[in-house]
Amino acid sequence: MASHGFWSLGGQNAGNPNAGSQSPSTPRAWCQAAAQKFPGGLGSKLCALLNVGEEAVDKPVDTSTKQEEETPAETCGCNKPCNCSKATTGFSELYSTDLLPALDGDMKTMTFLQEVVDILLSYIVESFDRSTKVIDFHYPNELLQRNNWELSDEPESLDDILVSCRATLKYAIKTAHPRYFNQLSTGLDMVGLAADWLTSTANTNMFTYEVAPVFVLLEYVTLKKMREIIGWSDGRGDGIFSPGGAISNMYAMLLARFKMFPEVKEKGMSSIPKLAAFTSEHSHFSIKKGAAALGIGTESVICIKVDERGKMIPSDLEKKILEAKQKGLVPFFVSATAGTTVYGAFDPLIAISDICKKYDVWMHVDGAWGGSLLMSRKHRWKLNGVERANSMTWNPHKMMAVPLQCSALLVREEGLMQNCNQMHAVYLFQQDKHYDLGYDTGDKALQCGRHVDIFKLWLMWRAKGTIGFEAQIDKCLELSEYLYNKIKDREGYEMVFDGKPQHTNVCFWYLPPSLRYVEDKVEKQKRLHKVAPVIKARMMEYGTTMVSYQPQGDKVNFFRMVISNPAATFEDIDFLIEEIERLGQDL
Amino acid sequence: MAASAPSSSAGDPDPNSTNLRPPSTTYDAWCGVAHGCTRKLGMKICGFLQKNNSLEEKSRIVSALKEQSSKNELENSERDARFRRTEVDFSNLFARDLLPAKNGEEPTMQFLLEVVEILTNYVRKTFDRSTKVLDFHHPHQLLEGMEGFNLELSDQPESLEQILVDCRDTLKYGVRTGHPRFFNQLSTGLDIIGLAGEWLTSTANTNMFTYEIAPVFVLMEQLTLKKMREMIGWPNGEGDGIFSPGGAISNMYSVMVARYKYFPEIKTKGMSAGPRLVLFTSEHSHYSITKAGAALGFGKENVILLRTDESIIQTHERPHKSEKVGIHTWVSQGNPHDLEAKIIDAKQKGYHPLFVNATGGTTVYGAFDPINEIADICEKYNLWLHVDGAWGGGLLMSRKHRHKLNGVERANSVTWNPHKMMGVPLQCSAILVREKGILAGCNSMCAGYLFQPDKQYDVTYDTGDKAIQCGRHVDIFKFWLMWKAKGTIGFEQHIDKCLELSEYLYNKIKNREGYEMVFQGEPQHTNVCFWYIPPGMRGMPEGDERRERLHKVAPKIKAMMMECGSTMVGYQPQGDKVNFFRMVISNHAATRSDIDFLIDEIERLGVDL
């Protein structure tokens, strides 16, 4: 294929209607000149690198042009006209059209992928190195200037592509960094990563056994195992991997509605009475989001009070159910949270399940964050009663550190999902296939195409065993206990709630010295509210660590520390505390 | 091994694991080179490349520079191969020996390189036509364990050796969707740049909800969505949009947004706060519209299916064959448009027509609904117009074929899946909305723990709250990188080529003995739908017996294809039509010879049926 001819032709008639292609004109021109002057493509290599910062640096470009002209002969670093070109370039003259399936694209593809892997491996090594920054923070406008992110009509060389890959990683957050504590999903598991690379390479879809035989079976095997761990007899039931905990929760709500009013699938919400769902005021916002989407309405989600530790108060649940009934609403769904997002609290599942049973309401357990504690013999008691739930959300991509995304919805009743969601599309789910159709699981999903999220979890489970996950989880909880013990009586710290946290969430205020003796309560709260955001902003500027903060109810901004990163150690916890004090002492 | 040839020729690896660290990025390495040649210039360039790094980092780079310049000669022969595969015995290594374990770097690198070796071999073989598309086994066979491929999970860990075996087996028993002869789905092919993008995405392992944790990806998403809106033709690329986990969810978004636009109170009060809402879509459209109707609380019966011209012509038995015969349109000559009739009918019943879905490229026929005519009706009755271009949206990239979507700029929302016709790895689906801000209005819940309003940066980049998901996978990078690498014209070329191939197929079989086209006329997309009539059936008179036999032909041929693993193509019935083959081409590896092969193969396998 005459790729160059095609590309240059395209260039002539494309006519640049977009703004993006105007900006790089100066450096581009210079690059072209340089590339011609210099032996062995060094010029273009240089350009590629300049490209990373081209818009931020118009002036130096001019000067360096002059410099270059003066000393053209020495540029390659070998003191003689040499063959470095082979070593340093190759990619500047290649385009994606030279890669497979191009004829003789084999070697080029392998070399290119190897180069990419090199970049990725460097990044991995760096990520685990405590001396590197967690983040090289730039404001959005700044970041836009840092690289040519614009898309254009013309192709870029593979060299440019590699530069883009490097730039992307340079400004990315190192989520694997031992001091990254910002989200519930942190860390980078090597087996999980390898599995995700394989998944991308296999590039298939979960809808039928036909196109994903192994993955469909792995999903089947793994879901069964998860149900066994929940405690459903023989691991029976149903389930699916979905794109995140919010969607898993939405599935649960959908199923609960269908279970109580199957006619809703055909006739819609107008055919059934007004529903009421119940969840604690500390639960995840996805319950409301789900209710809004499903046409139930956010007002139909009734928030149950929590105790000072963030756990749902069962008596209030019963009270609210009765109130709803009196108003003529039909209670259909209770979502108990196992591991709330902010406090890490576990709702009392047994008490809640008693109430659900009494009033015949679907009980869902949102264990997106805390569900993984089922893998730990030491901590699984926190979820006692989960086996009485009708459905459960469990995100292995959080506490089990499986790469994103990996979220499961598990359902006790078999076949319900299928009935609720199936549409019998004959183009995918032909009934006259030659294999057992029980494995064409696509029709029970809300999605049509579904990403393969199972392989990374399955492979990690193989590589660690259940005990490996257990050890990892126990360690994270131990670290958070260490943190709790360290700060609970330390000067300048106040805990948001009393008592040892149940999960790895440790919520606290840091009071800078100047605030510690402020008498006026209102004034103090007002100032305290601003402390965490400033410290966080400074952390990001320095790039040393990242931890989250938020207000909750009437409580002003506080830090929420969570640990799910298997790379974190006691020293990293010490570091975090020192860093908060270093950055916050002058506030 | 060819894959590692350039580096493995470079002599022994450095056993010193500290060598794994600097130079950790290529610009460091390059700075070293520059430093070696022209001190002043080199420093200058490095200087401004580094302009924004901290002091600490600078000193690190300076030391890397020094180290580099001293090792300069070595560099030349060593290339940048910092990580080289060596023989490692993985049978005594376990996951716990990998990073973040102490001294875990070396085993980690070796393990990952071994995996990459497996993957690159797989990639290479995938493009090799002598490889099978799949090595088929029945579910029970795989579950029982094939030649030691054991799927069970246990309490105890397996060695890394076993993990590598698991990887090989998983690929062995999988389907090679990148194979030039895999035609089974709308998403086929394996783009190398896209693959590299996916590997990077997995490595970056982050989430799309806030700028805070995915700065680059959030910006890329904005730029790319804008570009896509420009392609649609919305002025200045203004509007809104989001990448979602697949076309079905994108379509669901469109219905939600439409509902929010006309009845915002439904978000809080539920469907009972509004009138009885109805949705319209054609009977050939994708089932996800009906699925969305069921899930979102409209109910399936309030999703009204419109007849296609084909069925109208059949039911009215019009002998007249217009240009539009077989093409998916709602125009029935002389009568009011079926859509308009049904809208009026719904209104008379007291229902409220809300939303019309026009399909840009149906799943089976590849037909394009006449968007302009539908838009006229939508404007007249004030309905939301959605264009489901999951499959056909890619044609917007082609100057030659984009006319098939004429009128798309009048839509209120568009679904467009780059993972189909544009060959982007799975998943990559976008929902684009003309009105700015409405996605956020529809879905936001303002969670304090994620979307703190008092962050130091412009929080309008925290796009997470407009999604129905909380965490959202990074689907943008592979697409962005491919667009960079191919340019718009690269996608155009890919699409034009696929359409050319399907035209070739159509011309090849339309008059060939033993073939019958399911609809007349040249296909609009790459879908070519046809029956293969085995020789033994060719003399049979029309009738139930023939229909019954014909119905079984495609499944049998397909089963045999899978058993021998030579190729894969989809089949299905449609309406009252018995099973037929639906050939689609989206794989950039396919050539005319692969089309010829497919036909030969169908005839070979079907000859005695």
Side-chain angles (χ1 to χ4, degrees):
Chain A
M1 193 169 355
S3 58
H4 292 289
F6 174 80
W7 297 126
S8 54
L9 195 79
Q12 280 153 15
N13 56 25
N16 291 337
N18 58 322
S21 46
Q22 295 162 4
S23 42
S25 56
T26 336
R28 280 272 155 77
W30 173 79
C31 284
Q32 275 161 13
Q36 281 161 9
K37 280 194 189 89
F38 294 30
L42 184 77
S44 18
K45 183 91 184 171
L46 195 90
C47 303
L49 288 159
L50 289 178
N51 228 5
V52 175
E54 68 185 359
E55 286 167 358
V57 289
D58 345 317
K59 277 169 209 157
V61 170
D62 290 336
T63 40
S64 42
T65 313
K66 281 173 204 149
Q67 303 260 342
E68 291 276 341
E69 281 162 3
E70 287 160 21
T71 53
E74 294 172 64
T75 38
C76 69
C78 303
N79 299 323
K80 58 179 188 278
C82 66
N83 53 5
C84 305
S85 54
K86 259 196 284 175
T88 51
T89 59
F91 293 123
S92 58
E93 284 125 43
L94 291 181
Y95 290 86
S96 63
T97 42
D98 296 312
L99 301 176
L100 282 173
L103 279 175
D104 62 293
D106 212 36
M107 270 305 290
K108 290 166 194 157
T109 304
M110 296 306 131
T111 323
F112 172 72
L113 287 177
Q114 199 179 17
E115 193 67 29
V116 172
V117 167
D118 245 20
I119 294 171
L120 301 180
L121 294 182
S122 302
Y123 178 79
I124 292 165
V125 172
E126 253 184 76
S127 289
F128 285 100
D129 178 357
R130 289 181 174 77
S131 68
T132 60
K133 289 173 159 200
V134 176
I135 175 178
D136 184 5
F137 180 78
H138 298 278
Y139 290 93
N141 289 336
E142 238 175 28
L143 190 52
L144 281 171
Q145 317 271 308
R146 284 301 168 109
N147 187 15
N148 176 18
W149 307 110
E150 291 293 336
L151 298 170
S152 74
D153 291 352
E154 300 305 310
E156 294 192 3
S157 74
L158 294 185
D159 216 11
D160 295 324
I161 294 306
L162 292 168
V163 169
S164 285
C165 288
R166 287 188 198 99
T168 303
L169 290 175
K170 178 167 163 40
Y171 301 112
I173 309 286
K174 295 199 172 63
T175 54
H177 197 287
R179 290 169 183 168
Y180 173 76
F181 303 111
N182 207 60
Q183 308 297 141
L184 302 182
S185 311
T186 61
L188 184 60
D189 187 273
M190 289 304 131
V191 175
L193 177 65
D196 219 18
W197 288 358
L198 187 142
T199 303
S200 322
T201 312
N203 192 33
T204 194
N205 218 321
M206 290 298 282
F207 33 54
T208 57
Y209 179 83
E210 186 174 325
V211 297
V214 181
F215 299 128
V216 164
L217 293 182
L218 294 183
E219 188 173 75
Y220 172 79
V221 167
T222 310
L223 285 171
K224 183 158 188 283
K225 188 87 184 169
M226 291 170 89
R227 289 189 302 260
E228 278 169 16
I229 289 173
I230 290 175
W232 290 334
S233 57
D234 297 328
R236 257 184 292 165
D238 208 343
I240 199 164
F241 280 84
S242 88
I247 304 285
S248 293
N249 285 341
M250 191 162 110
Y251 266 117
M253 202 178 252
L254 195 62
L255 290 173
R257 182 176 69 182
F258 179 74
K259 174 76 182 166
M260 193 172 276
F261 299 103
E263 65 270 30
V264 77
K265 182 178 176 182
E266 288 296 329
K267 299 184 182 299
M269 288 296 286
S270 51
S271 68
I272 65 171
K274 216 166 148 51
L275 302 176
F278 303 85
T279 189
S280 90
E281 54 192 17
H282 276 202
S283 70
H284 192 259
F285 66 83
S286 56
I287 303 293
K288 282 197 173 174
K289 225 168 210 182
L294 303 184
I296 294 165
T298 52
E299 283 177 7
S300 299
V301 179
I302 296 168
C303 288
I304 310 300
K305 281 192 200 135
V306 295
D307 64 15
E308 67 293 341
R309 301 278 307 267
K311 297 161 181 264
M312 186 194 281
I313 300 172
S315 59
D316 192 52
L317 172 65
E318 184 156 18
K319 193 180 127 206
K320 297 258 168 73
I321 287 178
L322 288 170
E323 274 174 22
K325 283 182 159 236
Q326 271 168 2
K327 283 185 204 153
L329 303 176
V330 178
F332 81 111
F333 181 76
V334 172
S335 174
T337 312
T340 57
T341 316
V342 178
Y343 282 17
F346 288 80
D347 288 344
L349 301 183
I350 292 177
I352 293 169
S353 76
D354 286 341
I355 296 169
C356 288
K357 204 172 170 197
K358 184 169 167 191
Y359 296 96
D360 196 20
V361 181
W362 181 283
M363 176 181 172
H364 173 65
V365 173
D366 177 4
W369 172 224
S372 306
L373 266 55
L374 288 173
M375 306 288 275
S376 160
R377 279 164 290 187
K378 194 171 160 192
H379 296 287
R380 70 164 286 148
W381 62 268
K382 294 168 185 171
L383 287 114
N384 276 351
V386 66
E387 69 285 353
R388 297 166 72 175
N390 298 92
S391 59
M392 178 189 184
T393 296
W394 175 353
N395 288 9
H397 73 216
K398 294 198 163 102
M399 199 62 197
M400 285 159 78
V402 177
L404 291 157
Q405 280 185 314
C406 188
S407 167
L409 176 78
L410 301 138
V411 185
R412 197 168 57 187
E413 185 176 331
E414 249 167 308
L416 190 64
M417 284 193 97
Q418 187 79 17
N419 290 334
C420 176
N421 293 322
Q422 72 182 351
M423 293 290 152
H424 302 290
V426 282
Y427 84 93
L428 270 181
F429 312 111
Q430 303 91 336
Q431 295 305 302
D432 41 14
K433 288 181 187 174
H434 65 302
Y435 58 83
D436 178 357
L437 295 172
Y439 293 94
D440 281 0
T441 54
D443 214 12
K444 68 184 180 194
L446 275 179
Q447 298 174 272
C448 169
R450 188 158 59 92
H451 190 258
V452 178
D453 292 334
I454 182 60
F455 187 63
K456 49 201 169 193
L457 171 60
W458 180 82
L459 198 69
M460 278 174 71
W461 207 322
R462 290 278 282 179
K464 290 168 190 281
T466 313
I467 57 163
F469 281 121
E470 178 178 40
Q472 192 177 308
I473 289 161
D474 288 352
K475 190 191 147 200
C476 288
L477 280 144
E478 203 181 308
L479 282 176
S480 70
E481 202 179 325
Y482 172 78
L483 170 64
Y484 169 72
N485 287 327
K486 185 178 171 115
I487 60 172
K488 69 174 177 202
D489 300 316
R490 193 182 176 98
E491 203 193 337
Y493 290 82
E494 246 177 63
M495 304 310 288
V496 173
F497 57 88
D498 291 328
K500 200 169 89 178
Q502 283 198 291
H503 206 318
T504 70
N505 308 48
V506 181
C507 297
F508 60 91
W509 287 284
Y510 169 70
L511 287 83
S514 71
L515 248 173
R516 289 182 199 163
Y517 305 103
V518 175
E519 294 285 331
D520 182 349
K521 268 196 177 158
V522 178
E523 168 72 11
K524 191 172 177 175
Q525 291 299 310
K526 218 173 125 193
R527 282 177 59 189
L528 187 56
H529 189 59
K530 288 176 188 150
V531 169
V534 174
I535 294 180
K536 171 70 178 279
R538 288 178 180 178
M539 278 176 179
M540 286 177 73
E541 297 281 347
Y542 284 98
T544 46
T545 181
M546 272 174 86
V547 60
S548 182
Y549 73 86
Q550 68 283 299
Q552 169 100 38
D554 56 353
K555 297 194 161 72
V556 301
N557 279 324
F558 54 85
F559 284 112
R560 178 206 62 177
M561 174 68 180
V562 280
I563 302 157
S564 62
N565 191 339
T569 62
F570 293 110
E571 289 80 49
D572 296 314
I573 304 291
D574 293 340
F575 176 85
L576 176 83
I577 294 303
E578 283 161 28
E579 194 65 6
I580 288 178
E581 293 174 3
R582 182 176 79 86
L583 298 172
Q585 62 172 348
D586 63 330
L587 293 176
Chain B
M1 207 81 281
S4 50
S7 53
S8 56
S9 61
D12 293 319
D14 195 336
N16 185 353
S17 66
T18 55
N19 203 31
L20 289 169
R21 223 165 275 154
S24 46
T25 62
T26 300
Y27 69 79
D28 285 8
W30 185 81
C31 286
V33 176
H35 191 259
C37 356
T38 67
R39 190 164 301 263
K40 233 168 134 189
L41 168 71
M43 287 306 286
K44 196 148 212 154
I45 294 169
C46 298
F48 73 72
L49 287 173
Q50 287 305 316
K51 209 171 154 196
N52 299 284
N53 283 308
S54 70
L55 269 177
E56 187 188 281
E57 207 177 339
K58 260 179 201 154
S59 67
R60 200 169 65 83
I61 280 153
V62 169
S63 61
L65 272 175
K66 283 180 186 151
E67 205 180 307
Q68 281 299 303
S69 54
S70 65
K71 288 199 301 186
N72 229 344
E73 286 104 281
L74 236 145
E75 267 284 302
N76 292 330
S77 57
E78 239 184 53
R79 215 176 160 268
D80 318 307
R82 295 174 292 280
F83 306 104
R84 260 159 303 126
R85 218 158 59 84
T86 54
E87 285 302 312
V88 175
D89 178 13
F90 289 104
S91 60
N92 291 318
L93 287 172
F94 289 86
R96 59 175 174 265
D97 300 313
L98 302 176
L99 281 174
K102 231 180 168 188
N103 304 319
E105 271 174 27
E106 185 59 23
T108 302
M109 295 303 122
Q110 289 307 324
F111 170 70
L112 289 177
L113 286 170
E114 194 65 36
V115 171
V116 167
E117 181 70 20
I118 294 171
L119 300 181
T120 48
N121 274 327
Y122 176 82
V123 169
R124 195 183 350 207
K125 278 196 160 170
T126 290
F127 289 100
D128 179 354
R129 289 180 175 76
S130 64
T131 315
K132 283 176 160 193
V133 175
L134 83 164
D135 184 3
F136 183 78
H137 296 277
H138 286 276
H140 65 93
Q141 292 174 305
L142 280 177
L143 278 175
E144 283 156 12
M146 296 287 304
E147 294 152 25
F149 183 32
N150 171 14
L151 312 182
E152 286 307 316
L153 298 168
S154 74
D155 291 352
Q156 299 303 319
E158 303 280 352
S159 72
L160 292 182
E161 174 93 8
Q162 181 59 42
I163 295 305
L164 292 166
V165 170
D166 288 345
C167 288
R168 285 190 200 98
D169 284 342
T170 301
L171 292 173
K172 179 167 188 278
Y173 298 110
V175 177
R176 291 178 187 272
T177 57
H179 196 286
R181 289 169 185 168
F182 176 79
F183 302 111
N184 206 60
Q185 310 296 143
L186 303 183
S187 310
T188 61
L190 182 62
D191 186 275
I192 301 296
I193 304 285
L195 178 64
E198 269 290 77
W199 287 2
L200 187 142
T201 303
S202 314
T203 312
N205 193 32
T206 194
N207 218 317
M208 290 298 283
F209 31 58
T210 57
Y211 179 81
E212 187 173 324
I213 66 158
V216 182
F217 299 130
V218 165
L219 291 182
M220 281 174 180
E221 186 173 74
Q222 294 210 345
L223 287 170
T224 310
L225 286 171
K226 180 158 192 278
K227 192 87 188 167
M228 291 171 88
R229 289 189 300 260
E230 282 169 12
M231 306 294 300
I232 289 174
W234 289 334
N236 298 324
E238 292 279 330
D240 209 339
I242 198 163
F243 281 84
S244 88
I249 304 286
S250 293
N251 284 339
M252 191 164 114
Y253 267 115
S254 74
V255 178
M256 283 172 64
V257 170
R259 182 175 66 183
Y260 180 75
K261 171 76 183 170
Y262 292 96
F263 299 96
E265 65 276 17
I266 286 179
K267 179 179 176 183
T268 50
K269 300 195 183 302
M271 288 293 277
S272 49
R276 182 165 166 181
L277 300 173
V278 285
L279 316 171
F280 300 89
T281 189
S282 89
E283 58 188 10
H284 278 204
S285 71
H286 192 259
Y287 68 88
S288 55
I289 300 290
T290 318
K291 209 164 216 177
L296 302 182
F298 292 85
K300 272 170 75 180
E301 31 168 83
N302 294 313
V303 180
I304 295 177
L305 298 182
L306 301 159
R307 287 182 298 173
T308 61
D309 66 337
E310 187 198 53
S311 61
I312 288 163
I313 283 157
Q314 280 181 352
T315 47
H316 294 227
E317 294 195 47
R318 283 164 186 270
H320 172 79
K321 282 194 175 177
S322 77
E323 278 181 342
K324 281 178 176 164
V325 175
I327 296 169
H328 207 184
T329 121
W330 295 339
V331 185
S332 101
Q333 287 138 347
N335 292 321
H337 296 170
D338 190 35
L339 170 63
E340 192 160 9
K342 286 194 167 131
I343 288 173
I344 292 167
D345 184 47
K347 282 182 165 236
Q348 277 169 354
K349 285 182 188 152
Y351 307 157
H352 189 104
L354 175 77
F355 169 99
V356 178
N357 171 58
T359 309
T362 57
T363 315
V364 178
Y365 281 18
F368 288 80
D369 289 340
I371 302 174
N372 267 321
E373 290 168 51
I374 297 166
D376 288 341
I377 298 171
C378 287
E379 277 165 21
K380 184 170 167 192
Y381 294 96
N382 190 25
L383 304 188
W384 183 279
L385 173 61
H386 174 66
V387 173
D388 176 3
W391 171 226
L395 266 59
L396 288 171
M397 305 292 274
S398 160
R399 280 165 287 190
K400 192 171 161 195
H401 297 286
R402 65 168 290 145
H403 69 89
K404 294 168 186 171
L405 286 135
N406 274 350
V408 65
E409 70 285 352
R410 297 169 68 185
N412 298 92
S413 57
V414 177
T415 294
W416 175 351
N417 288 10
H419 73 216
K420 294 200 163 100
M421 199 59 201
M422 288 162 81
V424 178
L426 291 157
Q427 281 187 314
C428 189
S429 166
I431 170 75
L432 300 138
V433 183
R434 196 166 62 188
E435 185 176 327
K436 219 175 173 167
I438 194 165
L439 266 176
C442 175
N443 294 318
S444 72
M445 292 290 152
C446 302
Y449 83 96
L450 270 181
F451 310 111
Q452 304 90 340
D454 43 11
K455 286 180 187 174
Q456 81 272 30
Y457 58 83
D458 179 357
V459 291
T460 56
Y461 287 95
D462 284 357
T463 52
D465 213 13
K466 66 184 182 194
I468 52 169
Q469 297 176 271
C470 170
R472 187 158 59 92
H473 191 258
V474 178
D475 291 334
I476 182 61
F477 184 68
K478 53 197 167 192
F479 181 33
W480 179 86
L481 198 68
M482 278 176 71
W483 203 325
K484 270 272 194 209
K486 289 168 178 285
T488 312
I489 56 167
F491 281 122
E492 177 177 41
Q493 191 206 23
H494 166 72
I495 287 159
D496 288 353
K497 190 190 146 200
C498 289
L499 279 145
E500 212 181 282
L501 280 178
S502 70
E503 202 182 320
Y504 172 76
L505 171 64
Y506 170 71
N507 287 326
K508 185 179 170 114
I509 59 172
K510 70 177 174 194
N511 297 321
R512 193 181 175 98
E513 204 193 337
Y515 290 83
E516 251 176 59
M517 304 310 289
V518 173
F519 57 86
Q520 300 304 310
E522 203 176 292
Q524 286 193 296
H525 206 319
T526 69
N527 308 46
V528 180
C529 297
F530 62 90
W531 287 283
Y532 169 69
I533 325 280
M537 274 186 65
R538 286 181 199 161
M540 280 177 83
E542 295 285 338
D544 286 348
E545 197 196 331
R546 184 178 189 270
R547 280 173 56 84
E548 261 165 49
R549 260 183 82 178
L550 188 56
H551 190 58
K552 288 176 189 152
V553 170
K556 278 187 189 154
I557 294 179
K558 171 72 177 278
M560 286 191 271
M561 278 176 179
M562 287 176 71
E563 297 281 355
C564 39
S566 51
T567 180
M568 272 174 87
V569 60
Y571 74 86
Q572 68 282 298
Q574 169 99 37
D576 56 354
K577 296 193 161 69
V578 299
N579 278 324
F580 54 85
F581 284 112
R582 178 205 62 176
M583 174 68 180
V584 280
I585 301 155
S586 61
N587 190 340
H588 65 332
T591 61
R592 287 184 179 204
S593 67
D594 297 315
I595 304 290
D596 294 340
F597 176 85
L598 176 83
I599 294 302
D600 292 345
E601 193 66 5
I602 288 178
E603 293 174 3
R604 182 178 77 84
L605 297 170
V607 70
D608 54 353
L609 289 179

